[in-house]
């Protein structure tokens, strides 16, 4: 179980509803969905369902239709953030509800701020109930607003509004005037907007408690006038007047910088209730000014100083209740990542400092990994953020650190790494960072993520890079991932002839210089797994001249059992496919494989796969096109060799199914063919009895073994092994039955 505990039952149920929407819904004439049957949902659960649909990326004009049912599904706190919802769908599905909160930030689909405000204002209940509204990232299109009963509709129509976020919009001074007439406005975010004057704020000076005005690039007010406006905001407790000087010219923002300097050095009677000030990114900030400001305000709980050069001020460390963003220490950097999630410039800056802090980290820091992941998720298309963030991920998950992290956190992190690889396919350092982080046995083996996508991304990267170290890691990752895919995913991967060519090219590259290294071994393992019970992949292997290459490599690496075993394992996969057996019927190749089978100095693992190839090829006399004498020699040698084999202690092979064994276990087969098959089954059953005993029963192999054991012409060696296998299955069933009875009692 994850260290963070299991998922809440409510989350699991809502996720299931999201997956089953098609089955649960019917369609209206306009194509939108409605629940075929719906009880009256608990109100909070309706909010959670909408949010779950949004975060899973399935909320759109079609699916949002289920919320037109206002009686059973009553929304209060609605989030459609980043979803493709049109103005018409919004009006029909959300506006009839008595909403208290709405987050429509960064909605696509043509929905504008004007559409939202006019839609909400059309519902008298919303006019008096809506308290929080976020339209960040939207086009306001204010000129399109009409009139309602002779009065122009605007933000002032929503009289209960307390919190309004209009960051990254085309907010103008005129619209700000309308906003500031709201009687209960407490929190206002106008960051990165087109506002040039803040004088309108004086109209809400008695209610405004929080003003966020980050990076007002078009602000045109003198320092004296700005400071006057700020000084009149008597109720203000939080002021964010930060700026982005990291990516803009030093000459910009000079008046704002001067305003901040005067505020720091001025009287504490200006903004007397201020407990939180953010001036990150501002220039001309001195440590002396920071010290004076902090010492004059006992109630200060937060000070934003990232990228100001003043976060090392000694007075900051002596304030126990004061949180600071900056670069002076770990706490400041982590605080910056927590607070500045939506500010790309600051996330990027903080990540650079975090990277420097964790270069030699030796303890698990899931708290830091969460912050890095949050920054990546908030800025999915920012190369600057992902370049540094992926390097941080590697440092935080390297070696044994990953094993101490919550699995759900690692799963989300790897998913984000794959997103980075997909988004920045041509950026070598981002790809390298992701590959380094992925190259972890623990992550690849035990962490759930889309392994098919990962394999595809790494293979695509491999096609255009030849750095030996990175190539080794990429092939290792592919090899492990291929072994973890479902049969359907493996089939899809094996059907891609480009992938086959990439892996064969690596084998050829290594074979040309007869080198034995992990890159070659991993490439051979990947090819072996790709062709396991996959006829199309095996056909592609042959079409890519893989057989010719493998014949050469078999001879070149005659003294390397670890290489030979992988080569013969793949040839064994081809031999299992009846329509491809003819491609293996080459006398020189079979003579070579026969020599491996006969050689008592060769490891059992090599002789085992050599025997498998020969058993499959000789099991169909009607398809045999070579001399009868060779077939007779092979069959005799199969039996003579196999009875001398000693079962290896380590796991040598695993099987997805026993289907390829069916033809070999028929009573009419020669004893050498039968013996190889029962020896193979006995081997895997001995090493993993519970798994393979169940498979034998399920696939009907036990019946074939019983028939073999009972047939009068079956060789005694085969009867003995068959009976031992059946005994293992019987003993396993007995133990399973006992366990079940104990559990029931």
């Amino acid at each position: 179980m994850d260290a963070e505990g299991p998922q809440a039952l409510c989350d699991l149920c809502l996720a299931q509803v999201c997956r089953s929407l098609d089955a649960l819904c019917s369609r209206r004439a306009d194509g939108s969905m409605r629940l075929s049957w719906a009880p009256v949902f608990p109100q909070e659960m309706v909010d959670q369902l909408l949010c779950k649909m949004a975060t899973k990326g399935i909320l759109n004009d079609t699916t949002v239709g289920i919320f037109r049912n206002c009686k059973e599904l009553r929304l209060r706190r609605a989030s459609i953030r980043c979803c493709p919802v049109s103005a018409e769908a919004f009006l029909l599905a959300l506006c009839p509800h008595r909403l208290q909160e709405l987050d429509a930030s960064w909605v696509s689909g043509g929905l504008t701020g004007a559409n939202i405000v006019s839609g909400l204002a059309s519902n008298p209940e919303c006019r008096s109930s809506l308290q929080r509204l976020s339209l960040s990232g939207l086009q306001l299109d204010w000129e399109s607003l009409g009139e309602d009963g002779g009065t122009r509709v605007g933000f002032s129509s929503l009289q209960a509004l307390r919190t309004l976020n209009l960051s990254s919009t085309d907010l103008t001074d005129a619209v700000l005037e309308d906003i500031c007439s709201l009687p209960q406005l407490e929190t206002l975010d106008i960051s990165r907007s087109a506002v040039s004057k803040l004088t309108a704020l004086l109209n809400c000076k008695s209610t405004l408690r929080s003003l966020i005005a980050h990076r007002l690039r078009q602000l045109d007010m003198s320092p004296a006038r700005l400071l006057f406006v700020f000084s009149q905001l008597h109720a203000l407790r939080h002021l964010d007047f930060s700026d982005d000087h990291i990516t803009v010219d030093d000459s910009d923002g000079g008046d704002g910088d001067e305003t901040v300097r005067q505020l720091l050095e001025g009287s504490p009677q200006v903004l007397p209730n201020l407990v939180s000030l953010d001036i990150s990114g501002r220039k001309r900030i001195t440590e002396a000014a920071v010290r004076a400001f902090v010492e004059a305000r006992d109630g200060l709980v937060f000070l934003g100083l990232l990228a100001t050069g003043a976060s090392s001020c000694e007075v900051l460390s002596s304030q126990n209740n004061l949180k600071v963003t900056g670069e002076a220490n770990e706490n400041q950097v982590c605080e910056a990542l927590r607070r500045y999630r939506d500010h790309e410039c600051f996330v990027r800056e903080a990540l650079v400092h975090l990277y420097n802090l964790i270069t030699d980290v030796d303890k698990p820091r899931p708290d830091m990994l969460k912050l890095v992941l949050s920054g990546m998720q908030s800025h999915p298309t920012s190369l600057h953020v992902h370049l540094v963030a992926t390097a941080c991920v590697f440092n935080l998950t390297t070696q044994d650190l990953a094993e101490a992290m919550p699995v759900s956190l690692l799963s989300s992190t790897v998913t984000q790494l794959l997103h980075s690889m997909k988004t920045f396919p041509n950026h070598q350092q981002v790809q390298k960072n992701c590959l380094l982080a992925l190259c972890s046995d623990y992550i690849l083996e035990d962490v759930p993520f889309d392994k098919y996508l990962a394999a595809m991304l790494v293979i695509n990267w491999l096609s255009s890079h030849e750095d030996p170290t990175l190539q080794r890691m990429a092939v290792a990752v592919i090899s492990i991932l291929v072994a973890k895919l479902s049969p359907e995913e493996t089939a899809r991967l094996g059907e891609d002839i480009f992938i086959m060519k990439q892996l064969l090219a690596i084998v050829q590259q290594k074979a040309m210089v007869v080198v034995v290294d992990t890159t070659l071994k991993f490439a051979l393992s990947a090819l072996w797994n790709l062709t396991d019970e996959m006829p199309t992949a095996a056909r592609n292997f042959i079409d890519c001249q893989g057989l010719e290459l493998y014949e050469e490599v078999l001879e070149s690496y005659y003294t390397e059992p670890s290489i030979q075993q992988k080569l013969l394992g793949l040839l064994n996969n081809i031999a299992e496919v009846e329509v491809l057996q003819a491609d293996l019927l080459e006398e020189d190749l079979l003579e070579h494989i026969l020599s491996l089978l006969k050689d008592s100095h060769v490891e059992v693992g090599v002789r085992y796969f050599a025997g498998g190839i020969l058993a499959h090829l000789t099991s169909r006399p009607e398809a045999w096109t070579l001399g009868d004498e060779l077939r007779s020699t092979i069959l005799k040698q199969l039996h003579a060799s196999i009875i001398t084999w000693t079962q290896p202690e380590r796991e040598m092979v695993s099987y997805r199914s026993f289907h390829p064994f069916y033809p070999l276990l028929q009573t009419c087969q020669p004893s050498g063919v039968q013996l190889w098959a029962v020896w193979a089954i006995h081997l895997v059953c001995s090493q993993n009895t519970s798994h393979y005993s169940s498979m034998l029963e399920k696939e009907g192999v036990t019946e074939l073994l019983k028939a073999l054991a009972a047939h009068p012409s079956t060789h005694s060696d085969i009867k003995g092994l068959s009976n031992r296998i059946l005994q293992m299955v019987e003993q396993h069933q007995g133990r399973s039955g006992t366990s079940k009875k104990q559990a029931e009692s």
Side-chain angles (χ1 to χ4, degrees):
M1 187 180 292
D2 200 331
E4 293 183 331
Q7 263 189 286
L9 180 59
C10 181
D11 277 346
L12 293 170
C13 292
L14 291 173
Q16 182 60 36
V17 171
C18 290
R19 284 191 292 270
S20 309
L21 271 184
D22 281 326
L24 295 171
C25 293
S26 58
R27 302 277 179 141
R28 298 185 181 89
D30 63 1
S32 63
M33 286 182 170
R34 64 174 159 208
L35 289 172
S36 301
W37 176 83
V40 177
F41 272 58
Q43 193 282 308
E44 287 184 5
M45 193 175 289
V46 182
D47 295 341
Q48 291 170 18
L49 176 59
L50 179 69
C51 184
K52 181 72 76 175
M53 290 170 66
T55 54
K56 284 189 171 292
I58 62 169
L59 190 70
N60 51 45
D61 281 6
T62 301
T63 57
V64 78
I66 68 172
F67 296 98
R68 293 189 198 177
N69 183 351
C70 299
K71 291 182 179 178
E72 282 76 25
L73 302 177
R74 297 161 297 157
L75 286 167
R76 292 294 179 266
R77 295 171 176 81
S79 174
I80 56 172
R81 189 181 181 92
C82 299
C83 296
V85 176
S86 68
E88 182 181 7
F90 173 79
L91 185 65
L92 292 171
L94 297 186
C95 291
H97 294 268
R98 194 174 189 274
L99 295 178
Q100 295 173 358
E101 299 178 11
L102 172 64
D103 183 355
S105 302
W106 304 99
V107 167
S108 55
L111 186 62
T112 66
N115 296 146
I116 290 171
V117 171
S118 61
L120 295 172
S122 68
N123 180 353
E125 287 190 323
C126 265
R127 284 178 177 250
S128 59
S129 67
L130 192 71
Q131 297 179 25
R132 300 171 66 91
L133 178 61
S134 179
L135 305 181
S136 180
L138 293 190
Q139 184 78 19
L140 293 183
D141 191 26
W142 215 242
E143 287 69 27
S144 67
L145 278 174
E147 295 186 354
D148 180 14
T151 305
R152 186 175 176 82
V153 174
F155 285 105
S156 55
S157 306
L158 306 172
Q159 288 285 291
L161 267 184
R162 294 176 179 272
T163 299
L164 181 59
N165 182 353
L166 294 173
S167 59
S168 300
T169 65
D170 52 339
L171 176 67
T172 62
D173 294 345
V175 180
L176 184 61
E177 287 276 357
D178 177 55
I179 290 166
C180 291
S181 67
L182 286 165
Q184 302 181 68
L185 187 65
E186 295 179 352
T187 300
L188 178 62
D189 189 343
I190 55 174
S191 302
R192 299 181 298 275
S193 69
V195 167
S196 64
K197 305 289 183 189
L198 299 184
T199 313
L201 297 174
L202 296 173
N203 296 327
C204 55
K205 63 182 181 181
S206 60
T207 61
L208 194 65
R209 295 164 61 85
S210 174
L211 173 64
I212 306 164
H214 166 75
R215 199 182 179 189
L216 295 182
R217 210 35 59 211
Q218 297 184 38
L219 190 62
D220 184 20
M221 294 179 73
S222 68
R225 186 61 183 162
L226 263 175
L227 202 59
F228 171 75
V229 171
F230 288 157
S231 69
Q232 297 301 302
L233 304 179
H234 304 306
L236 202 67
R237 294 176 61 79
H238 170 66
L239 172 61
D240 180 346
F241 199 53
S242 57
D243 197 18
D244 174 13
H245 274 327
I246 301 164
T247 57
V248 297
D249 187 77
D250 281 346
S251 61
D252 289 342
D255 286 344
D257 292 343
E258 178 58 23
T259 304
V260 169
R261 187 191 67 77
Q262 291 183 23
L263 176 62
L264 291 176
E265 296 177 354
S267 166
Q269 297 308 310
V270 175
L271 298 176
N273 294 314
L274 202 68
V275 295
S276 169
L277 175 66
D278 199 334
I279 51 174
S280 289
R282 289 291 177 186
K283 301 293 183 183
R284 308 178 199 172
I285 308 299
T286 65
E287 290 191 9
V290 169
R291 186 184 308 109
F293 184 80
V294 171
E295 290 176 345
R297 295 174 185 263
D298 294 335
L300 202 63
V301 296
F302 171 70
L303 188 57
L305 294 172
L306 183 68
T308 62
S311 63
S312 298
C313 184
E314 289 182 8
V315 72
L316 300 175
S317 58
S318 64
Q319 306 292 312
N320 295 331
N321 297 323
L322 179 63
K323 293 186 182 297
V324 179
T325 58
E327 54 274 339
N329 54 52
E330 178 188 305
N331 288 338
Q332 290 186 6
V333 172
C334 289
E335 189 67 29
L337 286 170
R338 266 189 291 273
R339 288 187 179 254
Y340 298 143
R341 179 174 172 170
D342 293 332
H343 295 338
E344 180 188 345
C345 58
F346 292 157
V347 169
R348 174 183 162 194
E349 178 82 0
L351 284 171
V352 170
H353 293 295
L354 181 70
Y355 177 78
N356 293 329
L357 286 171
I358 61 174
T359 304
D360 299 314
V361 67
D362 58 357
K363 292 181 181 177
R365 293 299 302 269
D367 56 329
M368 284 186 175
L369 187 58
K370 284 180 185 176
L371 293 173
V372 174
L373 177 61
S374 175
M376 296 171 78
Q377 291 170 334
S378 297
H379 305 284
T381 59
S382 169
L383 172 60
H384 297 299
V385 167
H386 283 254
L387 179 60
V388 189
T390 51
C392 289
V393 168
F394 170 64
N395 280 350
L396 289 168
T397 58
T398 190
Q399 296 176 354
D400 298 330
L401 296 176
E403 296 182 37
M405 299 283 188
V407 175
S408 60
L409 174 60
L410 283 177
S411 180
S412 299
T413 302
V414 175
T415 299
Q416 194 59 49
L417 289 176
L418 299 183
H419 170 82
S420 300
M421 292 184 77
K422 201 173 177 181
T423 307
F424 309 106
N426 301 316
H427 197 282
Q428 187 164 347
Q429 192 60 50
V430 170
Q431 296 288 319
K432 180 179 178 180
N433 292 347
C434 293
L435 194 58
L436 285 165
L438 280 175
C439 199
S440 154
D441 285 345
Y442 175 72
I443 288 175
L444 294 173
E445 296 280 356
D446 297 325
V447 176
F449 60 92
D450 189 340
K451 293 179 170 61
Y452 176 81
L453 172 62
M456 289 297 296
L457 289 169
V458 177
I459 288 166
N460 288 333
W461 178 89
L462 189 62
S463 65
S464 55
H465 295 83
E466 295 182 358
D467 179 285
T469 304
L470 294 177
Q471 185 188 69
R472 175 181 58 78
M473 287 192 296
V475 175
V477 169
I478 293 165
S479 176
I480 295 172
L481 289 174
V482 169
K484 291 289 181 181
L485 299 179
S486 68
E488 295 76 20
E489 290 171 330
T490 306
R492 281 163 59 199
L493 210 60
E495 287 168 4
D496 191 335
I497 207 159
F498 168 78
I499 294 168
M500 195 67 68
K501 286 179 177 177
Q502 288 299 315
L503 292 170
L504 284 171
I506 291 168
V507 174
Q508 187 168 31
Q509 174 191 342
K510 298 294 180 182
M512 285 173 66
V513 290
V514 198
V515 67
V516 179
D517 63 8
T518 52
T519 304
L520 174 61
K521 291 179 181 179
F522 279 128
L524 292 173
S525 293
L527 286 163
W528 185 3
N529 283 319
L530 269 180
T531 53
D532 184 15
E533 293 192 44
M534 298 294 160
T536 304
R539 178 78 263 173
N540 284 343
F541 173 85
I542 294 170
D543 291 343
C544 293
Q545 285 73 54
L547 265 182
E548 293 85 344
L549 175 61
Y550 268 44
E551 287 180 43
E552 293 174 16
V553 179
L554 259 177
E555 294 183 12
S556 305
Y557 290 83
Y558 191 88
T559 59
E560 295 294 339
S562 63
I563 301 297
Q564 286 192 311
Q565 190 168 314
K566 298 177 192 301
L567 295 166
L568 294 168
L570 185 143
L571 297 181
N572 202 98
N573 289 343
I574 295 174
E576 292 174 359
V577 184
E578 290 187 356
V579 294
L580 301 180
Q581 288 174 350
D583 290 277
L584 293 174
L585 292 175
E586 295 178 17
E587 194 162 336
D588 289 344
L589 174 61
L590 296 196
E591 290 280 8
H592 183 78
I593 294 172
L594 181 59
S595 70
L596 294 172
L597 174 71
K598 291 162 62 175
D599 192 342
S600 60
H601 297 100
V602 173
E603 285 189 8
V604 171
V606 175
R607 299 174 77 190
Y608 170 83
F609 288 109
I613 297 165
L614 297 173
H616 282 288
L617 295 179
T618 54
S619 68
R620 296 177 63 230
E622 73 278 8
W624 184 263
T625 57
L626 302 177
D628 290 341
E629 187 180 343
L630 177 59
R631 180 171 181 270
S632 178
T633 303
I634 289 172
L635 289 171
K636 287 177 184 175
Q637 194 58 54
L638 270 170
H639 199 124
S641 296
I642 294 169
I643 57 173
T644 67
W645 292 352
T646 303
Q647 186 170 303
E649 292 182 6
R650 62 180 179 82
E651 185 177 293
M652 190 174 70
V653 65
S654 62
Y655 289 104
R656 285 184 176 147
S657 79
F658 287 123
H659 292 134
F661 288 75
Y662 290 0
L664 310 185
L665 293 170
Q666 301 304 313
T667 55
C668 60
Q669 288 288 3
S671 67
V673 172
Q674 294 171 339
L675 185 58
W676 182 85
V678 293
W679 197 93
I681 294 171
H682 183 267
L683 169 68
V684 294
C685 281
S686 301
Q687 294 175 335
N688 192 344
T689 307
S690 60
H691 175 67
Y692 287 109
S693 290
S694 302
M695 191 188 293
L696 287 170
E697 279 287 305
K698 185 178 179 182
E699 297 182 359
V701 181
T702 50
E703 295 306 312
L704 293 174
L705 292 170
K706 288 175 183 176
L708 263 185
H711 200 276
S713 63
T714 301
H715 194 284
S716 59
D717 293 333
I718 298 162
K719 284 187 176 184
L721 270 178
S722 298
N723 284 322
R724 287 205 288 275
I725 297 167
L726 292 168
Q727 191 176 3
M728 276 192 279
V729 173
E730 194 175 329
Q731 287 174 349
H732 170 69
Q733 288 174 336
R735 286 194 296 271
S736 299
T738 303
S739 300
K740 187 177 180 183
K741 286 177 182 176
Q742 287 175 349
E744 288 173 350
S745 61

